[in-house]
Amino acid sequence: MTVREPSGPRAGLAGDPERLAGSLRRLRGGDRSALGELLDAWGEDLMRYLTALTGERESAEDLFQDTWVHVVERIGRYDPGRPFAPWLFRVARNLAYDHLRRKRRWRWIPLGGGPGEFEPAEAAPGPADDPVDRRREAARLLACLDRRSREMVWLRYWGDASYEEIAAITRVPVGTGRSRLHRARKKLAGVLQGPAEETA
Amino acid sequence: MNGPQDPTDRIDRRLRQAAREGRGGPPLYGPALRARTLAAAERSARHRASRNAALLAAAVGVVVAGQTVLTGWALARILAAWGWAADAATLGWVVVFSAAAAAGMAAVVAMTDPAGEGWNGRFVRREARHG
């Protein structure tokens, strides 16, 4: 995922500021064909972000659609002088947190597993050799964190976002974001070491 | 100082590696989700357009009705000043009723054909509600 404009083979529209500005201008002018271009540029990253936030693919897909509907409705409020990606991810984040708040009100607890879901941490995970095991291990590690720290870690590593971008998306000062990330890494390091090593 | 064996360093490396490998995992965004999202955005835009048109039609209806009432009231006052009080009051009531009828017509049009699309407008709204 790339909260910052991606580069490399996948860059496409997102990696070309002029084309991106053109698409956004067209969308503002009511040309909804531009939406397809934006979807293709950020669809995968946004879905991964929403899945990481909600822990469920189904909710993430609903929120994904809502996010783009909001983008179409509120594109007039977007400041073209600022980068598009943090604005887009902030729209998605606001919707996701509203959704999570509603869910908590109803005390609904998701059951069962699915792709992208976080598994509860059982024991301190040891080093894994297989990429799939490593992904599971990372998911277990992330599950040890509270939601906000997990989001920051995810944006930093999976989203490849700078501290400034994380601050823009999560609406916290850059210093606060840095220190939250530092605390999260320290906590994860403790989990990785295991209780025996931790107390030693 | 963070040495190579520093646990925070180690977690940093592991997270970077997991993220790199995670990006190569199965895609979560595909043509079906793309099509659903585009359709949702389209429905929402049509729904918004028809809602705005309905509001505009209702506003125009209210303005027209208000003007008709004011005109009738002014006419009644002029006639009353000339001593035709009874006739002026009757005329005033006629104008008030016709204004109410005009507002009613505007409301019916706003509800049944908000965007001037015939009955299709209603189907669009129903489709948006039920996906």
Side-chain angles (χ1 to χ4, degrees):
Chain A
M1 115 130 209
T2 29
V3 167
R4 67 179 62 186
E5 323 304 5
S7 54
R10 228 176 40 75
L13 179 68
D16 184 343
E18 283 193 14
R19 262 183 69 204
L20 171 64
S23 295
L24 290 170
R25 231 186 347 262
R26 279 169 42 224
L27 192 64
R28 283 165 85 102
D31 176 0
R32 284 192 290 278
S33 69
L35 181 63
E37 295 165 16
L38 296 171
L39 265 169
D40 292 340
W42 274 287
E44 183 63 33
D45 296 341
L46 194 63
M47 259 309 284
R48 286 190 185 279
Y49 175 58
L50 287 168
T51 309
L53 273 187
T54 59
E56 300 170 295
R57 179 137 180 204
E58 199 181 327
S59 298
E61 287 193 355
D62 287 347
L63 289 166
F64 180 85
Q65 290 186 43
D66 289 350
T67 300
W68 290 104
V69 166
H70 267 67
V71 165
V72 173
E73 284 177 1
R74 287 160 200 210
I75 192 69
R77 296 189 199 172
Y78 163 66
D79 174 5
R82 289 171 175 271
F84 176 68
W87 183 77
L88 169 69
F89 280 77
R90 202 166 58 231
V91 170
R93 181 179 188 269
N94 290 343
L95 289 170
Y97 273 79
D98 283 348
H99 165 81
L100 292 168
R101 266 193 293 272
R102 273 199 306 273
K103 231 171 69 167
R104 197 167 48 203
R105 198 179 303 150
W106 289 98
R107 305 181 71 80
W108 182 75
I109 299 159
L111 300 169
E117 282 198 30
F118 291 117
E119 296 158 27
E122 286 157 7
D129 297 329
D130 184 353
V132 176
D133 285 348
R134 275 198 293 270
R135 276 208 292 277
R136 280 204 191 117
E137 175 197 273
R140 274 200 299 271
L141 279 172
L142 288 184
C144 300
L145 298 172
D146 62 273
R147 194 183 295 282
R148 284 178 201 274
S149 306
R150 190 164 71 202
E151 182 190 9
M152 296 235 168
V153 168
W154 196 91
L155 282 169
R156 179 69 181 152
Y157 291 94
W158 276 259
D160 198 22
S162 67
Y163 290 111
E164 287 72 21
E165 286 163 333
I166 293 174
I169 293 167
T170 58
R171 285 187 183 269
V172 296
V174 176
T176 308
R178 265 179 197 274
S179 65
R180 273 191 198 166
L181 259 169
H182 179 68
R183 275 201 304 273
R185 274 194 293 254
K186 261 180 94 168
K187 183 172 181 183
L188 291 179
V191 173
L192 207 62
Q193 277 182 307
E197 280 180 68
E198 224 176 333
T199 50
Chain B
M1 197 177 83
N2 287 356
Q5 293 307 313
D6 187 301
T8 317
D9 245 16
R10 208 143 52 95
I11 196 73
D12 189 70
R13 278 200 306 277
R14 283 173 96 148
L15 287 172
R16 275 184 205 290
Q17 189 178 18
R20 238 190 344 265
E21 288 167 358
R23 285 187 207 115
L28 298 179
Y29 167 74
L33 182 58
R34 183 186 200 270
R36 278 208 307 278
T37 307
L38 287 174
E42 185 63 32
R43 272 200 308 272
S44 154
R46 284 209 314 247
H47 177 54
R48 230 163 3 112
S50 83
R51 190 190 55 202
N52 290 346
L55 287 174
L56 184 65
V60 168
V62 167
V63 168
V64 169
Q67 279 182 346
T68 316
V69 168
L70 282 175
T71 311
W73 178 77
L75 203 58
R77 285 290 302 269
I78 291 164
L79 291 175
W82 288 348
W84 298 344
D87 290 349
T90 309
L91 181 64
W93 278 114
V94 168
V95 171
V96 167
F97 279 120
S98 52
M105 272 300 281
V108 168
V109 169
M111 282 189 291
T112 55
D113 186 18
E117 296 173 332
W119 280 86
N120 187 37
R122 291 191 63 166
F123 292 126
V124 167
R125 284 201 297 281
R126 188 176 302 164
E127 197 187 339
R129 272 200 306 273
H130 300 293

